[in-house]
Amino acid sequence: MGNEEHQHLAQTEQRKNEHIDIVLHEDVSGEGMTTGLEKYTLIHNALPEVSFEDISLATTFLDKQVKTPFLISSMTGGTQRAWEINRTLAQVAEKRGWAMGLGSVRAAIENKEVRYSFKLRSVAPTIPIIANMGAVQLNYGYGVEECLTAVKVTHADALVLHLNTMQEVFQPEGDLNFSHLLPKIENVVRQVDVPVGVKEVGWGINADVASRLKEIGIAFIDVAGAGGTSWSQVEKYRATSPVMKEVAQTFASWGNPTAECITDIHQEHPHLPIIASGGIRNGLEAAKCLALGAQTVGYGRSILRDASVSVEALEQRLQKIELECRIAMFGVGVSSIVELQKGTSIKKV
């Protein structure tokens, strides 16, 4: 390995550790932007005709039976610190029955020495695990072979390709060629032998983009809408240029709100599996997302701090989310996720 490659790998590790520190310790929420979930209310049912003890969060995800409709969203990997966080996340996800998304596996493709940080089957043998790769890398030498490697290294049940234009444009080392990606994504969909989905990273996927992705056979869409972490704000803290810092601040309110993404896509494509993520903080908001048409609900930064503290802190947080969702279901008078997803228990306010 040459000096240039060593330097590149070191820079990648530094960037990932910086991202963890910034997300944990800085205010990186979008400004003047919400998830839009506050515009909806679940309809209280004073006579639910159900027993609270019978309310179940069990559902299916990626054709697997799972205990909950919840997902730990893609966050990190590729460093020792990331491995420690991922191990905690996977351990608790396995115990609670949550699916788990991995951070970008690109680091493991480029450097075999960090593959250990993505290998979680030893602590999470049964839950759905989703490998993750930046779609833009398909314009920078990556293809089906690298995607297959990502799935193989992680023993994943699915692969998600993330779209992060606004992060890359503010990232000092960003990859900016997003041209002609759709046919390359289609090629991956056709040749990778696990379900392939597409996700945003915090600015949302609208119905038009979802339609184009559905046409090429995408198996699921993670909307990752605005209202939570803004990666332009994250990259603002890494920017070396005063001008770029100011420009990043200009875009602090950019994006499509999470609730809007869910409703628009579900209206156009009622049978397309949707993962609702982007600023989801609790189980009540999850219940709203499910009632609006999501199949699964993802949590990222809102649980990262607990994961960095201890297994016990994270498990308590996940238990809280589950209980809040079950209480919301009790409040509207449904005992199953399927009933909640019918959408009859929610209205716009």
Side-chain angles (χ1 to χ4, degrees), residues 177-282:
N177 181 13
F178 278 76
S179 62
H180 309 297
L181 276 180
L182 196 62
K184 294 176 181 177
I185 294 173
E186 182 177 14
N187 189 42
V188 172
V189 170
R190 289 181 175 180
Q191 297 195 55
V192 171
D193 55 359
V194 296
V196 178
V198 167
K199 75 183 298 293
E200 239 284 349
V201 300
W203 290 284
I205 292 177
N206 64 19
D208 174 66
V209 173
S211 294
R212 287 187 279 152
L213 292 169
K214 185 174 183 295
E215 285 177 6
I216 64 169
I218 283 296
F220 60 92
I221 288 179
D222 184 340
V223 299
T229 302
S230 168
W231 280 90
S232 62
Q233 295 295 90
V234 174
E235 297 298 346
K236 178 182 72 175
Y237 288 98
R238 298 184 64 240
T240 56
S241 161
V243 171
M244 190 57 85
K245 286 182 183 289
E246 291 186 20
V247 174
Q249 184 59 39
T250 300
F251 284 85
S253 61
W254 186 266
N256 306 322
T258 298
E260 184 178 305
C261 295
I262 299 167
T263 54
D264 288 356
I265 294 174
H266 186 62
Q267 183 175 358
E268 291 289 324
H269 308 288
H271 302 296
L272 178 63
I274 296 171
I275 298 174
S277 69
I280 313 302
R281 299 165 298 176
N282 54 52

Side-chain angles (χ1 to χ4, degrees), residues 9-60:
L9 295 176
Q11 289 172 343
T12 299
E13 183 170 351
Q14 180 182 347
R15 180 175 75 247
K16 289 181 175 296
N17 283 328
E18 286 175 351
H19 282 162
I20 293 171
D21 283 330
I22 292 168
V23 169
L24 282 175
H25 302 299
E26 304 290 352
D27 182 5
V28 291
S29 298
E31 297 180 6
M33 172 65 70
T34 69
T35 62
L37 290 170
E38 74 283 354
K39 298 177 182 178
Y40 294 88
T41 186
L42 291 167
I43 302 167
H44 177 65
N45 182 347
L47 186 62
E49 297 284 14
V50 298
S51 168
F52 183 74
E53 297 303 319
D54 292 335
I55 294 171
S56 172
L57 297 176
T59 185
T60 59

